[in-house]
Amino acid sequence: MAPDETGDELVFFVNGKKVVEKDVNPETTLLTYLRRNHHTANACLFPICALHHVAVTTVEGIGNTKSRLHPVQERIAKSHGSQCGFCTPGIVMSMYTLLRNKPEPNMEDIEDAFQGNLCRCTGYRPILEGYRTFAKNSSCCGRATHGTGCCRSKRENSMNGSCCGGKANGPGCCMNEKEDNVTMMSSSLFNSSEFQPLDPTQEPIFPPELMSQKNKQQKQLCFKGERVMWIQPTTLQELVALKSQYPNAKLVVGNTEVGVEIRLKNMLYPVIIAPTWIAEMNAVQHTETGVTFGAACTLSSVEEVLRKAVAELPSYKTEVFKAALEQLRWFAGPQIRNVAALGGNIMTASPISDLNPVLMASGSKLTLVSNEGKRTITMDENFFTGYRKTIVKPEEILLSVEIPYSREGEYFSAFKQAYRREDDIAIVTCGMRVLFQAGTNQVEDVKLSYGGMAPTTVLALKTCQELIGRDWNEKLLQDACRLLAGEMDLSPSAPGGMVDFRRTLTLSFFFKFYLTVLLKLSKHHNGPNNLCEPVPSNYISATELFHKDPIANAQLFQEVPKGQAAEDMVGRPLMHVSADKQACGEAVYCDDIPHYENELYLTLVTSTKAHAKIISIDASEAQSVPGFVCFVSAKDVPGSNITGIANDETVFAEDVVTCVGHIIGAVLADTQEHSRRAAKAVKIKYEELKPIVTIQEAIENQSFFKSIKKIIKGDVKKGFEESDHILEGEMYIGGQEHFYLETHCTVAVPKGEGGEMELFVSTQNLMKTQEFVASALGVPSNRIVVRVKRMGGGFGGKETRNTILTTAVSVAAFKTGRPVRCMLDRDEDMLISGGRHPFLGRYKVGFMKNGKVKSLEVSYYSNGGNSADLSYGVMDRALFHLDNSYNIPNVSSVGTVCKTNLSSNTAFRGFGGPQGMMVAECWMSDIAQKCGLPPEEVRKLNLYNEGDLTHFNQKLEGFTLRRCWDECLSSSSFHARKKLIEEFNKQNRWKKRGMCIIPTKFGISFTIPFLNQAGALVHVYTDGSVLVTHGGTEMGQGLHTKMIQVASRSLGIPTSKIYISETSTNTVPNTSPTAASVSADINGMAVHNACQTILKRLDPIKQSNPKGSWEDWIKTAYQDCVSLSATGFYRIPDLGYDFEKNEGKPFCYFSYGVACSEVEIDCLTGDHKNVRTDIVMDVGTSLNPAIDIGQIEGAFVQGLGLFTMEELRYSPEGNLYTRGPGAYKIPAFGDIPTEFYVSLLRDCPNSKAVYSSKAVGEPPLFLSASVFYAIKDAIYSARKESGLTEPFRLDSPATPERIRNACVDIFTKMCPSAEPGTFKPWSVRV
């Protein structure tokens, strides 16, 4: 039957309130709907039409700051698990869902619940720590209580400096000096006894109206939008009829694939059919031969059924089920598994599907239905006919899938390798099955199915054919690998790249399968006439499935001195001031600002070519999109179209585009959907020019930005002559995407007179935003007000690059005279806004036999992109940090910024420092290998001492690094663990462990001296409440919290009386960007200065009424006409450096830290596990230990991404492939070290900053290099087994691909690389 012309009503509930929508657009997602109605939800793919008779609960529906927080909200806030807060509602709802389904979870349940959540600020540890309090065994890590490896035994004995080591808690031990020891160390950042208990009886009830609907017969629904019709049939009969009427209609259950195609691939499906209500498609049947699942069964329900079967059936019957469960365990996150359907997974026909190889190798049966009737087919090599195509006819529907039982003598395994273990798409995936003739080790049948090796899931037919009838032994293994290497070949230009890695994986997986089966055979056939070869004991670990230990951690900080007033919060672990609002979804971000009357939405139109002339722009087709208002381009800019830090950029490109993503124009329309559609309809013709994409190409073409910096000290030539050895090498460090959770966003509101405009922007840099907008609009800066409440993360990415969006939005608002809003989608943001600079470092180092460095020559090249932006500053900092923490008597260094056709790269936490130091650690590890000495000894030998001069001739004062080093060595039990690692590596051939200890020294100040200034404005109102404004912005780093603590101590009043509302250009002018880690230093001093001015004015009043309260004094001051408002100002004194003369003082002081990390790598797949990390960090006298430890952990995990996971991939033409979380992987909950210990160095006040504190935002990031070099150490052990002992090159990041390829063995040798230059690679290293 055809649906009638009028659309149906959609009925659902949001937080218990009934919603009835008449004209529903099928293209609207739940996210868009809820945000328009001012709710938030983790629902960016869920179609609103699928919500009929569904109850939706959002973070606002479970608790709020006005009445009461839900325990889930309270605990994440109080345990410091919310920094920028943008990801917090999603994490809160994941935990809430778990507790609704399982009120007493264990720790593993909690970790699994977060597989689909990401956070970029916290490093995840505090979130897990806070939510551990809901777990059954919450007080302890759960490892054999108090046994080895238990958190409690650690905490008492070897925790980072918690104990002096004097016979733990014995006489003379620091732990017993509580009474008179001034520097008591504490490890509790929050008090869990204050948490309100979880009471499941208090949860909102399910709407009774929906309960009563449950058993009623549903009627077919139809919703019609402008372009899409959504039909929800209720019977199989209706569905079959609809599919024959609309054979090209898409069937959608969870929309997890189609939603992505519509959003990112510009696909349009005019008819969508939702089979969710059809009983036959949701049924599960246990048959003689297996379990049959309806095609609409969700992956979560499939998982549940299979798990139950594995528990209840004999083990030999469930081999396939166990393999399927292993794949599902790492399949997306629970949010996706809860809605994605088994049938959708098959019919999507993705070549890298996790489940299809399992279904194909097991010979699962598919039942198809159409008007013609039913047919059952086996999922074999004929099922997939081409890329994303199957033999299913257009009018047919996949009804059900039967996953078979295995038989006696049949074995099954599945493997998957991805960039990140959790919630990631596969690089290569496989299902492997073998059946033996009864009682023998002779192969009767074998199926090897691979994903990621062709445009479809494939069977290795030739190999399988050859193995039938053979004995399962070493000879079979060798032949199988040789055959697979031939059959699973890939063109060196294959889409997806990583060709050598993928080919090697097919062999590695087969080897793991071979060993696994051998182990099982020897168990089953054990007896005197065992036919099997035994598995060597050092090979057994290669068969073990990934297993994660429960996390264990501790954080140590110095308690405040005895006698500090209770209301003086400086030095105490005060909760982030917005944490509770963030946990309830009440915190307002830029795009949460309510929509204005007649507001327009803007979508950018950007270049698809890296370098080209613009021939024509045609917006005529866009005009026919409903709601279209106008197209804006360079000719609409009323002021100057020239912009950028170096005046080398444009607001809108005019004649030439110089990168993919270069902004050419923008479309304005009444809604986001309409403006997106219209932007896609704008047609641009280009005449292509040759692009320069990589550092290598820039060097060949001498394409550089003009200023080339050098630092030269001592006599390098003489240094080399005096050296025993000279080593040369190079290292490449890849770039990094900021991946702040809140993308760039601007709302521009023209005020209608005098060219005034108010801008709400997600930016770290109000001054430049104001200046660039004023210039583009041709008005003075005093007409432009920029306001920032908070950002959902920044990390440097919003220091200058937000201006490219803000200027475009402002020009549009000026042209139309109406408010204009734009928040970039993730893919646009990644394409347009640039990231961390990729670096190439070339070095020549001279050193003595004992490892002492004498002389260094180093050149750095960075990929700056298409404009200068901050690239010079980044290179300056790289040169200042080329020594890391090592004293090098003779240095000659040069830094060159390459000009390329990529989006301009920009500031990113560390600002060139990590790249500079990474190259230093590279030559340092080469030296240790060359000298045959332990790396930690060579590093320690070369460390600076107090009073030494750096290579830029700044004297090191208050040099605490050696204290950090010694404390880290002892708290990490470094030497004892090193022995254990050596033992482990002897006993395991295919798993290796490595460990490394790395120091860092980070210079604190902007390297441009005049930026080291800050202002503040403090108002005291007559009720005694205080409003503070300062020049810094809040992006999760807790700056506002620290400023409230500073003001509270300065004024001597409780923090509850002080409030910070926002940062704005009309309260504090000419602000420096919130960057370079100095914001707490300089704004803290400015706030303190303003408070002192007010106190001075209050002095006479206090003297005349010493017993009065703060409120009394303020009332009197007001009545005496004393001003209760003051500005404060601060600049860092005596800064400045001259590159020509190599003299001056670029930094106010240095922050120091040391980290020791241990990893375990899988030599066959390149996977690695972060086993343990110990960090000791000098943050001076901490203003707020909770915030500082949060910054250390967050920076460390972000660095972990930089050095081991995150890889930007570009085509040779300069097109970015990695444009979203699907292709670009940041660390997830499961990637942090299993044991994670952080200790703040005690008794190290810093006289150069407010209340003796130190900067903490950027310095800890480089400590994650300890993980990279631990990986390198583990690879070295693996290479030794293959007889390779020379230093080897490992570029960053150490992805599974790089790790596997570096572990040279028989399998890598069977897959030789193609000669460079003989093919065009799919991706290039920029």
Side-chain angles (χ1 to χ4, degrees):
M1 54 165 263
D4 53 18
E5 283 310 297
T6 57
D8 290 306
E9 278 187 347
L10 178 69
V11 179
F12 61 104
F13 285 73
V14 176
N15 296 330
K17 291 196 180 75
K18 186 173 180 178
V19 178
V20 180
E21 286 287 334
K22 281 209 168 53
D23 300 309
V24 177
N25 180 0
E27 293 185 68
T28 304
T29 62
L30 173 60
L31 177 72
T32 313
Y33 177 85
L34 289 171
R35 281 192 73 73
R36 276 207 199 121
N37 297 277
H38 306 298
H39 298 291
T40 53
N42 184 0
C44 52
L45 291 172
F46 206 76
I48 183 124
C49 296
L51 290 178
H52 192 61
H53 289 173
V54 168
V56 177
T57 305
T58 72
V59 71
E60 295 88 348
I62 65 169
N64 58 62
T65 56
K66 295 179 196 73
S67 52
R68 80 184 252 285
L69 267 64
H70 188 280
V72 171
Q73 295 167 321
E74 177 199 39
R75 292 187 197 189
I76 197 170
K78 288 187 175 167
S79 65
H80 316 288
S82 182
Q83 288 186 17
C84 84
F86 205 78
C87 67
T88 308
I91 289 168
V92 164
M93 292 314 288
S94 290
M95 188 67 206
Y96 175 78
T97 307
L98 173 64
L99 292 174
R100 284 299 298 259
N101 294 321
K102 193 173 182 180
E104 286 204 328
N106 58 36
M107 207 50 213
E108 201 177 332
D109 296 324
I110 293 173
E111 289 185 43
D112 287 348
F114 296 130
Q115 274 191 7
N117 293 90
L118 292 174
C119 165
R120 194 55 152 165
C121 296
T122 61
Y124 300 108
R125 195 275 315 157
I127 300 170
L128 292 168
E129 190 78 347
Y131 284 155
R132 173 185 270 165
T133 58
F134 286 115
K136 275 186 288 205
N137 45 357
S138 67
S139 53
C140 172
C141 65
R143 301 180 181 204
T145 310
H146 300 353
T148 48
C150 170
C151 62
R152 294 190 166 174
S153 64
K154 285 247 171 48
R155 209 164 283 193
E156 284 156 15
N157 306 336
S158 72
M159 237 324 288
N160 293 356
S162 57
C163 171
C164 60
K167 291 280 186 300
N169 300 359
C173 168
C174 63
M175 290 298 214
N176 288 334
E177 292 173 26
K178 284 196 177 166
E179 301 318 310
D180 23 67
N181 183 1
V182 233
T183 66
M184 262 311 293
M185 297 297 277
S186 167
S187 66
S188 57
L189 289 168
F190 61 89
N191 181 0
S192 56
S193 64
E194 292 172 2
F195 293 163
Q196 48 176 339
L198 178 71
D199 181 356
T201 62
Q202 294 304 299
E203 300 297 0
I205 60 163
F206 193 77
E209 183 182 329
L210 291 186
M211 293 294 267
S212 65
Q213 294 283 348
K214 203 170 153 190
N215 300 319
K216 286 185 187 162
Q217 176 60 41
Q218 301 276 14
K219 72 174 188 55
Q220 176 170 311
L221 287 183
C222 174
F223 303 109
K224 286 185 176 173
E226 287 162 6
R227 309 189 293 172
V228 177
M229 175 163 68
W230 171 287
I231 311 168
Q232 190 140 359
T234 58
T235 66
L236 186 56
Q237 216 176 338
E238 287 177 0
L239 175 63
V240 169
L242 283 167
K243 193 72 168 113
S244 104
Q245 187 181 350
Y246 303 107
N248 295 325
K250 273 278 183 189
L251 264 65
V252 165
V253 174
N255 201 42
T256 55
E257 182 66 31
V258 171
V260 171
E261 290 180 339
I262 291 171
R263 241 312 280 111
L264 299 177
K265 297 183 184 171
N266 211 1
M267 305 269 206
L268 178 63
Y269 300 111
V271 181
I272 286 178
I273 302 173
T276 329
W277 289 347
I278 287 150
E280 295 89 330
M281 294 188 74
N282 288 291
V284 177
Q285 281 178 304
H286 295 261
T287 66
E288 298 266 299
T289 47
V291 182
T292 303
F293 294 94
C297 288
T298 65
L299 296 176
S300 294
S301 63
V302 170
E303 205 173 357
E304 213 173 306
V305 171
L306 292 180
R307 196 163 279 140
K308 196 162 177 281
V310 168
E312 293 169 1
L313 294 169
S315 177
Y316 74 84
K317 283 186 91 164
T318 58
E319 284 274 312
V320 181
F321 298 175
K322 283 182 278 207
L325 283 168
E326 181 58 23
Q327 295 297 69
L328 284 169
R329 180 180 166 199
W330 307 113
F331 190 109
Q335 299 90 333
I336 297 289
R337 290 198 298 269
N338 288 341
V339 296
L342 178 61
N345 197 271
I346 296 168
M347 295 306 296
T348 296
S350 164
I352 49 172
S353 156
D354 294 351
L355 285 180
N356 287 347
V358 175
L359 300 173
M360 190 183 272
S362 64
S364 294
K365 296 203 163 25
L366 311 180
T367 301
L368 307 173
V369 62
S370 70
N371 263 350
E372 314 280 296
K374 282 188 189 176
R375 66 179 178 128
T376 299
I377 57 172
T378 302
M379 195 160 154
D380 57 18
E381 66 277 10
N382 304 316
F383 180 70
F384 298 107
T385 54
Y387 179 65
R388 294 193 178 258
K389 291 192 177 75
T390 68
I391 56 172
V392 179
K393 297 175 193 145
E395 67 280 7
E396 285 184 311
I397 292 152
L398 174 60
L399 180 64
S400 63
V401 183
E402 184 192 59
I403 303 180
Y405 296 130
S406 46
R407 294 174 277 170
E408 294 229 41
E410 184 176 1
Y411 301 101
F412 201 101
S413 289
F415 302 102
K416 164 186 176 177
Q417 185 55 43
Y419 267 100
R420 180 178 68 202
R421 181 161 294 285
E422 287 176 13
D423 187 17
D424 192 1
I425 51 174
I427 296 167
V428 176
T429 167
C430 72
M432 298 184 169
R433 165 183 164 262
V434 64
L435 172 67
F436 293 102
Q437 288 174 16
T440 73
N441 68 343
Q442 205 174 28
V443 176
E444 184 176 310
D445 191 24
V446 61
K447 290 269 190 295
L448 308 174
S449 175
Y450 288 100
M453 294 304 294
T456 63
T457 303
V458 290
L459 275 172
L461 291 168
K462 286 193 207 122
T463 307
C464 295
Q465 204 46 53
E466 291 277 332
L467 300 184
I468 291 173
R470 300 275 305 269
D471 284 349
W472 197 257
N473 57 23
E474 183 74 28
K475 181 79 179 82
L476 172 135
L477 171 67
Q478 288 167 4
D479 290 347
C481 289
R482 182 177 45 76
L483 290 161
L484 279 171
E487 189 170 0
M488 290 290 125
D489 200 6
L490 279 174
S491 146
S493 311
M498 302 187 278
V499 170
D500 296 351
F501 179 45
R502 285 153 70 190
R503 292 183 61 210
T504 308
L505 280 175
T506 58
L507 310 186
S508 294
F509 285 161
F510 181 77
F511 180 55
K512 280 179 174 265
F513 179 56
Y514 168 79
L515 292 175
T516 306
V517 171
L518 208 50
L519 267 183
K520 289 180 180 174
L521 279 175
S522 55
K523 273 189 197 134
H524 290 169
H525 296 181
N526 56 0
N529 54 353
N530 192 347
L531 311 155
C532 302
E533 301 174 358
V535 176
S537 63
N538 64 341
Y539 278 33
I540 289 176
S541 60
T543 66
E544 288 162 9
L545 293 175
F546 182 85
H547 154 76
K548 194 170 186 298
D549 289 315
I551 58 159
N553 52 66
Q555 296 68 43
L556 273 181
F557 59 94
Q558 190 167 335
E559 287 183 358
V560 297
K562 246 198 323 213
Q564 180 170 318
E567 69 268 20
D568 180 356
M569 296 309 288
V570 168
R572 300 186 197 273
L574 184 68
M575 179 179 94
H576 191 295
V577 286
S578 303
D580 49 359
K581 295 193 275 284
Q582 290 164 189
C584 297
E586 294 169 13
V588 176
Y589 298 88
C590 189
D591 195 38
D592 294 327
I593 292 165
H595 287 240
Y596 287 85
E597 193 72 42
N598 78 359
E599 179 182 291
L600 296 173
Y601 202 91
L602 175 143
T603 299
L604 296 171
V605 174
T606 61
S607 166
T608 55
K609 306 291 177 206
H611 194 197
K613 286 182 186 159
I614 299 172
I615 304 299
S616 67
I617 303 173
D618 176 9
S620 55
E621 206 181 304
Q623 292 167 8
S624 60
V625 173
F628 173 88
V629 173
C630 67
F631 176 72
V632 186
S633 62
K635 61 179 191 305
D636 298 299
V637 177
S640 169
N641 193 38
I642 300 294
T643 186
I645 294 290
N647 289 318
D648 59 348
E649 301 182 54
T650 55
V651 178
F652 297 110
E654 285 189 85
D655 310 311
V656 178
V657 288
T658 52
C659 69
V660 177
H662 199 151
I663 298 170
I664 296 170
V667 166
L668 293 167
D670 59 348
T671 67
Q672 184 178 16
E673 286 85 352
H674 286 152
S675 77
R676 271 184 191 162
R677 262 166 67 187
K680 284 172 181 165
V682 176
K683 300 279 179 277
I684 298 164
K685 285 201 176 123
Y686 305 94
E687 179 192 312
E688 289 198 55
L689 304 167
K690 186 168 169 45
I692 290 172
V693 176
T694 68
I695 291 175
Q696 208 49 55
E697 289 168 359
I699 294 170
E700 284 160 18
N701 292 282
Q702 293 291 294
S703 176
F704 304 131
F705 286 101
K706 58 181 181 299
S707 166
I708 292 176
K709 294 277 177 65
K710 296 180 177 180
I711 296 181
I712 293 165
K713 180 188 177 181
D715 184 339
V716 172
K717 190 164 172 286
K718 188 161 172 268
F720 283 131
E721 285 163 5
E722 290 169 0
S723 301
D724 293 337
H725 301 288
I726 294 175
L727 259 180
E728 293 189 52
E730 66 174 43
M731 180 180 194
Y732 172 80
I733 298 128
Q736 186 181 24
E737 160 60 33
H738 298 92
F739 217 96
Y740 24 67
L741 271 274
E742 176 204 33
T743 56
H744 284 295
C745 182
T746 295
V747 180
V749 186
K751 292 298 180 186
E753 58 173 280
E756 281 186 53
M757 194 175 284
E758 184 176 26
L759 297 162
F760 300 91
V761 189
S762 185
T763 180
Q764 295 168 238
N765 195 339
L766 288 84
M767 181 188 175
K768 283 295 171 198
T769 302
Q770 177 189 39
E771 189 185 302
F772 289 2
V773 167
S775 157
L777 299 186
V779 299
S781 288
N782 62 8
R783 310 300 159 87
I784 307 295
V785 175
V786 180
R787 298 172 64 182
V788 179
K789 183 93 175 160
R790 63 170 59 78
M791 282 166 272
F795 315 115
K798 295 175 181 173
E799 185 177 339
T800 57
R801 299 319 288 166
N802 68 282
T803 59
I804 59 179
L805 176 66
T806 305
T807 47
V809 172
S810 306
V811 167
F814 184 92
K815 176 177 175 165
T816 57
R818 293 164 67 174
V820 175
R821 175 184 307 250
C822 177
M823 182 175 187
L824 295 181
D825 283 323
R826 176 69 59 195
D827 56 313
E828 294 175 291
D829 192 289
M830 289 182 76
L831 182 67
I832 292 166
S833 64
R836 189 186 293 279
H837 291 69
F839 261 64
L840 178 68
R842 292 179 173 162
Y843 55 85
K844 177 178 171 186
V845 61
F847 52 98
M848 308 309 287
K849 286 193 192 71
N850 66 351
K852 187 83 173 140
V853 178
K854 295 290 283 182
S855 198
L856 173 71
E857 221 172 68
V858 66
S859 5
Y860 290 118
Y861 295 92
S862 72
N863 193 328
N866 68 343
S867 73
D869 190 66
L870 300 170
S871 297
Y872 291 137
V874 168
M875 185 53 83
D876 290 355
R877 191 168 276 273
L879 291 172
F880 286 133
H881 288 77
L882 65 82
D883 57 339
N884 187 4
S885 311
Y886 307 118
N887 193 341
I888 314 163
N890 307 294
V891 174
S892 165
S893 62
V894 57
T896 309
V897 181
C898 299
K899 185 174 186 174
T900 63
N901 295 114
L902 297 182
S903 297
S904 191
N905 283 314
T906 188
F908 196 150
R909 195 179 205 160
F911 205 73
Q915 294 98 312
M917 295 186 276
M918 193 66 174
V919 175
E921 291 302 341
C922 181
W923 49 254
M924 196 45 92
S925 71
D926 283 357
I927 291 172
Q929 259 188 38
K930 183 77 185 163
C931 297
L933 293 167
E936 63 279 6
E937 285 178 20
V938 177
R939 286 188 165 95
K940 186 171 183 178
L941 176 71
N942 285 290
L943 288 180
Y944 281 115
N945 287 299
E946 173 75 28
D948 282 350
L949 288 182
T950 63
H951 63 289
F952 48 88
N953 289 319
Q954 180 165 341
K955 190 176 179 188
L956 295 174
E957 297 164 316
F959 184 73
T960 57
L961 187 69
R962 284 178 176 267
R963 272 185 63 199
C964 295
W965 180 272
D966 293 341
E967 198 166 304
C968 190
L969 272 179
S970 108
S971 68
S972 65
S973 318
F974 184 88
H975 296 294
R977 280 169 54 217
K978 197 171 170 180
K979 286 198 184 82
L980 293 173
I981 288 170
E982 282 164 17
E983 203 43 51
F984 177 92
N985 289 345
K986 271 187 207 140
Q987 290 167 10
N988 293 277
R989 168 62 185 95
W990 303 107
K991 294 254 168 84
K992 295 289 178 193
R993 290 195 169 181
M995 188 162 65
C996 186
I997 181 167
I998 294 271
T1000 189
K1001 161 181 75 65
F1002 195 88
I1004 303 300
S1005 295
F1006 284 100
T1007 49
I1008 297 171
F1010 66 76
L1011 289 176
N1012 295 289
Q1013 59 170 297
L1017 176 62
V1018 175
H1019 296 320
V1020 185
Y1021 296 97
T1022 52
D1023 64 352
S1025 66
V1026 177
L1027 182 69
V1028 173
T1029 312
H1030 58 90
T1033 55
E1034 176 62 55
M1035 50 187 148
Q1037 82 284 40
L1039 181 60
H1040 286 350
T1041 310
K1042 284 183 170 181
M1043 293 306 96
I1044 286 172
Q1045 288 175 284
V1046 167
S1048 154
R1049 173 177 278 188
S1050 301
L1051 295 171
I1053 59 174
T1055 52
S1056 56
K1057 293 193 195 310
I1058 304 167
Y1059 190 69
I1060 295 179
S1061 169
E1062 62 174 9
T1063 312
S1064 59
T1065 53
N1066 58 355
T1067 49
V1068 179
N1070 315 323
T1071 58
S1072 291
T1074 307
S1077 306
V1078 296
S1079 303
D1081 290 7
I1082 57 177
N1083 291 292
M1085 289 301 278
V1087 167
H1088 178 70
N1089 177 295
C1091 292
Q1092 292 308 311
T1093 304
I1094 286 172
L1095 285 178
K1096 215 173 195 167
R1097 293 176 195 159
L1098 291 177
D1099 257 355
I1101 295 163
K1102 286 163 112 174
Q1103 277 163 9
S1104 63
N1105 178 12
K1107 292 221 168 84
S1109 67
W1110 169 257
E1111 285 76 4
D1112 297 338
W1113 298 332
I1114 295 305
K1115 207 168 263 151
T1116 308
Y1118 173 70
Q1119 287 160 356
D1120 291 358
C1121 302
V1122 171
S1123 166
L1124 291 171
S1125 170
T1127 58
F1129 185 78
Y1130 179 73
R1131 62 179 273 265
I1132 299 178
D1134 313 322
L1135 289 180
Y1137 173 78
D1138 184 331
F1139 273 94
E1140 294 300 310
K1141 298 179 181 158
N1142 191 15
E1143 64 179 37
K1145 185 181 167 193
F1147 301 117
C1148 177
Y1149 62 89
F1150 297 88
S1151 283
Y1152 304 104
V1154 175
C1156 169
S1157 293
E1158 179 185 346
V1159 300
E1160 180 179 308
I1161 64 170
D1162 182 329
C1163 309
L1164 291 167
T1165 63
D1167 243 354
H1168 88 274
K1169 207 164 36 167
N1170 296 313
V1171 178
R1172 174 172 169 174
T1173 291
D1174 295 76
I1175 294 174
V1176 178
M1177 194 83 201
D1178 165 16
V1179 296
T1181 303
S1182 174
L1183 289 175
N1184 183 326
I1187 283 177
D1188 287 348
I1189 287 170
Q1191 285 294 291
I1192 292 165
E1193 293 170 334
F1196 180 86
V1197 172
Q1198 202 167 46
L1200 198 69
L1202 168 65
F1203 295 134
T1204 69
M1205 290 172 78
E1206 299 176 37
E1207 193 163 33
L1208 291 162
R1209 312 192 68 200
Y1210 288 87
S1211 75
E1213 294 76 34
N1215 200 358
L1216 178 66
Y1217 291 128
T1218 42
R1219 290 193 201 180
Y1224 184 82
K1225 297 297 161 185
I1226 69 168
F1229 277 84
D1231 296 305
I1232 65 172
T1234 307
E1235 296 181 53
F1236 201 178
Y1237 304 117
V1238 176
S1239 172
L1240 303 183
L1241 193 70
R1242 53 166 153 346
D1243 300 329
C1244 50
N1246 169 35
S1247 59
K1248 306 251 170 81
V1250 65
Y1251 295 136
S1252 308
S1253 63
K1254 263 191 180 185
V1256 72
E1258 294 168 291
L1261 183 130
F1262 182 67
L1263 293 177
S1264 50
S1266 60
V1267 172
F1268 179 92
Y1269 288 100
I1271 288 172
K1272 200 169 179 182
D1273 181 43
I1275 296 172
Y1276 184 67
S1277 299
R1279 289 168 66 92
K1280 247 187 359 211
E1281 300 254 8
S1282 298
L1284 301 167
T1285 52
E1286 277 306 292
F1288 62 98
R1289 177 170 173 173
L1290 183 66
D1291 288 329
S1292 171
T1295 55
E1297 176 191 13
R1298 289 207 173 100
I1299 295 172
R1300 177 64 190 102
N1301 291 350
C1303 292
V1304 179
D1305 56 36
I1306 43 172
F1307 305 112
T1308 54
K1309 287 174 184 158
M1310 291 169 98
C1311 303
S1313 308
E1315 266 309 302
T1318 59
F1319 64 96
K1320 183 182 173 190
W1322 178 77
S1323 68
V1324 291
R1325 196 178 74 177
V1326 299

